[in-house]
Amino acid sequence: LVVNGFIPIWDDPDFFRRFLALLLAFRAKRWAVVVAITRLSELRNTCLEPFLRGKEPALHPRSSYEEFTSRYLSKFCHFLGTADPSLVKYAVANATVFDAPAWPTRRAFMA
C-alpha cells in the first residue's frame, strides 16, 4: 500500500478509516502487507520554511531528513497500533512501514 505522507493520516480521519479497513481486510486474508510512505521530503521542506523564519512549525523538521523520517515512521506505526491493537506487532518502521523517496519532477530525477 502506498500512503501520501504529505498529509499525515492522523490529520485526515476519513482517509485513515478507509486505509485501516483495507489494511485489516488484507491482514485478515493473511496477506503480507507493506506500507510505503511517499512525499516525506516535501513535507520536511514545508516544515522547514517557518522554522527557518524563526517560527515554530506544526511538525518539527528535526536536524536531518533521516531523523525527520524516522520520527514520522515511528509516529505512523504508533498511530496504527493505537487504532487497532492487532497492528502493534505488525506496524514496524523499516520492516513493514517504509519511507519511499520519490523525485518530485523529471528534472530532479535526471539531475
Side-chain angles (χ1 to χ4, degrees):
L1 299 174
V2 177
V3 175
N4 176 359
F6 196 76
I7 302 168
I9 60 169
W10 48 89
D11 288 346
D12 189 350
D14 194 39
F15 172 77
F16 177 66
R17 188 176 16 81
R18 293 190 321 266
F19 173 78
L20 186 61
L22 182 63
L23 181 60
L24 290 173
F26 287 161
R27 300 276 302 146
K29 292 183 181 232
R30 299 174 110 26
W31 291 359
V33 180
V34 174
V35 179
I37 302 177
T38 62
R39 299 184 69 191
L40 291 181
S41 177
E42 290 175 66
L43 178 61
R44 181 172 186 262
N45 289 339
T46 301
C47 292
L48 273 174
E49 289 172 13
F51 188 74
L52 294 174
R53 285 189 235 122
K55 298 178 181 175
E56 190 63 33
L59 283 173
H60 195 283
R62 307 288 174 207
S63 61
S64 68
Y65 173 76
E66 292 78 11
E67 188 178 343
F68 179 80
T69 301
S70 174
R71 175 75 177 124
Y72 188 99
L73 293 179
S74 294
K75 188 171 182 178
F76 184 93
C77 293
H78 177 76
F79 194 73
L80 283 179
T82 57
D84 190 303
S86 71
L87 295 176
V88 170
K89 290 184 180 177
Y90 160 74
V92 178
N94 297 318
T96 55
V97 179
F98 295 93
D99 168 34
W103 291 276
T105 63
R106 181 182 171 102
R107 175 174 279 164
F109 169 74
M110 301 303 276

